[in-house]
Amino acid sequence: MNAPQAKPWIEAIAPYVPGRSTTDDGRKVAKLSSNENPFGTPEAAAAAYVRESGTLHRYPDASAAALREALAAKYGLDPARVIYGTGSDEILHLAAGAFASVGDEVLFPRFGFSVYPIAARRVGAKPVEAPDRDYATDVDAMLAAVTERTRVVFLANPNNPTGTFASRDEIARLHKGLPQDVLLVIDQAYAEYLEPEDDDAGLELAKTASNVLVTRTFSKIYGLAAERIGWGYGPAPVIEALHKIRAPFCVTTAGQAAAIAALADEAFVRRCRAHNLRWRTWFEEEIGRLGNAGVRAVRSRANFTLVTFPETGPVTAEGAYHALMEAGYIVRWLPGQGLPNALRITIGTEAEMQGLTAALRAYMERSAD
Ligand SMILES: *Cc1c(COP(=O)(O)O)cnc(C)c1O
């Protein structure tokens, strides 16, 4: 063999599939496939981004000091225990990379975030899926799947792509049941979409426990997906390990400035959360009204809803996916994630939700004939 060979565990990775932004015939239409914020980013964030264009030749602050200070002030954190990354995706990879390797197991729920198996395989660890309970996290099943080889547990809360949520009590029970040398990573990419009283207390756990890492992102409600900024909080020794293996300049200057400005705009976050709650509730009720064709909305707490379809028959997820695309709405069909019967639909603007729902209804009526 005289060519470089990727490691067998790298060969085993099924590549991440991003949400599409154009239709089969190349039209640019309503993109409801990547859980982006339909209202963009706060104005002050965009302005901060533009202001930094004069320093493109300078490396960013590798310590992201101002961003860490801003996060610490907002959430009552020790700035020395904040990690940041090129999206929270990078931090998920750092967690697997620092705490798992060949022969170890990385555990997450079935229908968990699709980056987890990639992060596990990348370092030669074995991805292990715990059975779900009607698409949601089953804490007992998670705990039952822990072995002496388990090193990292990933849980997105709310979860992507199911939108399901594990309560504060369930998170506490999961944490209690885990051996103390297992790192529990609570991925809170959608935390800002929860009503404040529904908080899962993950950040409180990360402040006090020796084995909990919480990750957050500026990509979702803050609308800065293009700038790739995530952050995390955990015990000092965990954070130190992550810093050793992150890229030295992993968040851009403009991104840091934009993130700090975004963080300050609490009114923007409240508006986006209220819109999301209103139209997600409306959409889930509309799906309920579509009748008994076996189509159902899984109750979501995030900025998207998983809609499940019958496996076979005149109305299917695949059929709906193509009909919606034809009508100008790109959603996420998930056969690669074990969900060929489901579409994940981002909550967009009012006009998008009305139009998409009408198109879905038309597809179902057409198919029933
Ligand atoms: C979107 C998402 C992320 C990561 O987003 P970044 O853009 O990398 O910060 C992480 N976890 C979940 C569950 C997500 O849906």
Side-chain angles (χ1 to χ4, degrees):
M1 200 76 71
N2 52 12
Q5 293 292 301
K7 290 294 172 193
W9 52 85
I10 302 295
E11 300 282 6
I13 290 176
Y16 181 83
V17 182
R20 295 176 51 164
S21 50
T22 53
T23 59
D24 287 335
D25 52 5
R27 283 175 299 143
K28 241 189 143 60
V29 291
K31 185 186 177 200
L32 300 173
S33 56
S34 295
N35 303 341
E36 294 152 339
N37 188 336
F39 301 108
T41 195
E43 265 173 48
Y49 173 90
V50 170
R51 262 199 311 278
E52 297 301 333
S53 64
T55 61
L56 290 174
H57 58 301
R58 300 289 183 202
Y59 277 103
D61 173 11
S63 75
L67 176 58
R68 285 187 295 113
E69 288 293 344
L71 289 165
K74 187 178 174 82
Y75 295 106
L77 311 175
D78 173 358
R81 289 167 53 189
V82 175
I83 181 78
Y84 39 91
T86 310
S88 53
D89 279 350
E90 183 187 14
I91 303 175
L92 303 173
H93 282 288
L94 297 178
F99 293 94
S101 76
V102 179
D104 294 332
E105 294 177 359
V106 170
L107 174 65
F108 46 87
R110 184 175 181 220
F111 309 131
F113 185 39
S114 58
V115 163
Y116 306 154
I118 299 175
R121 286 212 164 92
R122 179 181 176 176
V123 298
K126 180 180 166 196
V128 177
E129 286 185 353
D132 63 302
R133 195 184 53 225
D134 192 25
Y135 298 104
T137 299
D138 181 336
V139 168
D140 295 311
M142 291 280 284
L143 290 174
V146 172
T147 74
E148 55 189 34
R149 300 194 158 185
T150 308
R151 300 268 56 91
V152 177
V153 172
F154 283 119
L155 178 63
N157 204 34
N159 183 47
N160 174 12
T162 61
T164 54
F165 181 68
S167 70
R168 191 175 316 174
D169 290 350
E170 288 177 288
I171 294 291
R173 198 157 66 79
L174 173 63
H175 175 247
K176 242 196 173 116
L178 288 176
Q180 288 191 358
D181 62 350
V182 171
L183 180 68
L184 172 60
V185 181
I186 308 174
D187 173 350
Q188 298 185 333
Y190 302 96
E192 297 86 356
Y193 281 105
L194 294 168
E195 295 304 305
E197 67 273 17
D198 291 340
D199 179 74
D200 67 11
L203 210 44
E204 292 310 309
L205 263 185
K207 289 177 186 179
T208 52
S210 60
N211 63 336
V212 175
L213 173 70
V214 157
T215 62
R216 295 267 186 116
T217 182
F218 283 92
S219 301
K220 302 287 159 60
I221 210 165
Y222 288 111
L224 287 168
E227 273 306 290
R228 317 299 309 120
I229 310 158
W231 63 279
Y233 196 70
V238 169
I239 298 300
E240 259 167 53
L242 303 185
H243 273 298
K244 288 183 185 175
I245 58 170
R246 70 170 166 78
F249 301 101
C250 57
V251 283
T252 64
T253 302
Q256 293 183 37
I260 293 166
L263 211 51
D265 196 343
E266 294 182 359
F268 176 86
V269 169
R270 274 198 304 275
R271 271 201 310 281
C272 294
R273 182 194 299 133
H275 169 91
N276 186 69
L277 175 62
R278 171 160 182 217
W279 289 97
R280 188 188 66 210
T281 305
W282 177 87
F283 180 59
E284 292 181 4
E285 284 170 7
E286 287 294 309
I287 295 296
R289 271 197 277 278
L290 282 179
N292 49 12
V295 178
R296 160 167 98 105
V298 176
R299 168 124 165 64
S300 169
R301 308 297 283 271
N303 67 339
F304 55 86
T305 294
L306 190 76
V307 179
T308 61
F309 293 76
E311 306 274 343
T312 56
V315 169
T316 61
E318 182 177 11
Y321 172 72
H322 291 296
L324 289 174
M325 176 135 19
E326 192 54 39
Y329 300 92
I330 304 187
V331 301
R332 192 75 178 267
W333 178 40
L334 300 156
Q337 286 184 246
L339 290 164
N341 64 322
L343 300 181
R344 190 195 69 190
I345 300 174
T346 303
I347 304 303
T349 62
E350 170 175 354
E352 286 168 343
M353 297 321 289
Q354 300 265 15
L356 176 143
T357 304
L360 188 57
R361 187 179 298 117
Y363 159 72
M364 289 178 58
E365 286 169 1
R366 225 168 37 238
S367 306
D369 292 341

